[in-house]
Amino acid sequence: MEKVKVAFICVHNSCRSQMAEALGKKYLSDICECYSAGTETKPQINQDAVRLMKIVHGIDMEESQYSKLFEDIPETDIVVSMGCNVVCPYIPGKLNLNWGLEDPSGQSDEKFLEIMNMIEENIHKLRDTVLEMNT
């Protein structure tokens, strides 16, 4: 079975989409290639996200990830918007999803953990979606 390519999208590609890419690689690597991108980039991934992903999941996002634009990733099958507070750009894909997640940047660790947990739950649901697409 060919792996499904999934893009996680948010404006700055520095927090939610980066966490989704990392968790996608952790939980979906057997069936998906996971990427993240944004309409703009930041010089570094959100440091609170980096710190909490290391603590909770043992993942060092700075080791293999960086802030990317759409043109920096391959064409994907599934496009997942994190929940833009502005108009999300349209990226073509066989399936477009919007997870509607609030940006936790600048908020408490509890808010970050809440969003991280929601992303993890959505990643597990995404597995079922991908498997259904391949049947």
Side-chain angles (χ1 to χ4, degrees):
M1 173 175 83
E2 189 173 321
K3 290 186 178 183
V4 172
K5 291 181 175 72
V6 180
F8 299 101
I9 306 300
C10 64
V11 175
H12 296 113
N13 187 224
S14 66
C15 189
R16 294 165 294 169
S17 58
Q18 291 286 350
M19 290 190 289
E21 178 183 352
L23 291 171
K25 287 177 177 177
K26 177 177 180 175
Y27 294 115
L28 303 175
S29 64
D30 57 328
I31 58 172
C32 294
E33 291 177 22
C34 296
Y35 305 92
S36 65
T39 52
E40 304 169 21
T41 60
K42 292 277 188 176
Q44 65 182 10
I45 300 172
N46 181 295
Q47 293 300 290
D48 289 321
V50 169
R51 177 176 52 81
L52 292 169
M53 286 291 288
K54 278 182 192 173
I55 292 169
V56 175
H57 294 283
I59 297 171
D60 184 352
M61 293 191 300
E62 291 182 312
E63 205 171 80
S64 62
Q65 293 175 221
Y66 58 94
S67 191
K68 301 168 287 304
L69 298 171
F70 302 122
E71 53 265 22
D72 297 333
I73 65 171
E75 191 173 308
T76 57
D77 303 300
I78 299 174
V79 177
V80 180
S81 298
M82 294 293 102
C84 304
N85 295 333
V86 294
V87 175
C88 288
Y90 175 74
I91 309 295
K94 292 178 188 166
L95 179 63
N96 285 277
L97 304 171
N98 186 339
W99 286 353
L101 301 172
E102 181 183 343
D103 184 358
S105 295
Q107 298 187 52
S108 67
D109 282 2
E110 290 74 25
K111 188 63 174 180
F112 263 90
L113 293 170
E114 177 187 323
I115 297 299
M116 186 186 300
N117 289 335
M118 293 169 84
I119 291 170
E120 185 175 4
E121 287 174 23
N122 286 336
I123 292 287
H124 290 300
K125 291 175 189 169
L126 186 58
R127 171 177 287 283
D128 295 334
T129 302
V130 170
L131 293 174
E132 285 174 21
M133 287 175 68
N134 286 320
T135 57

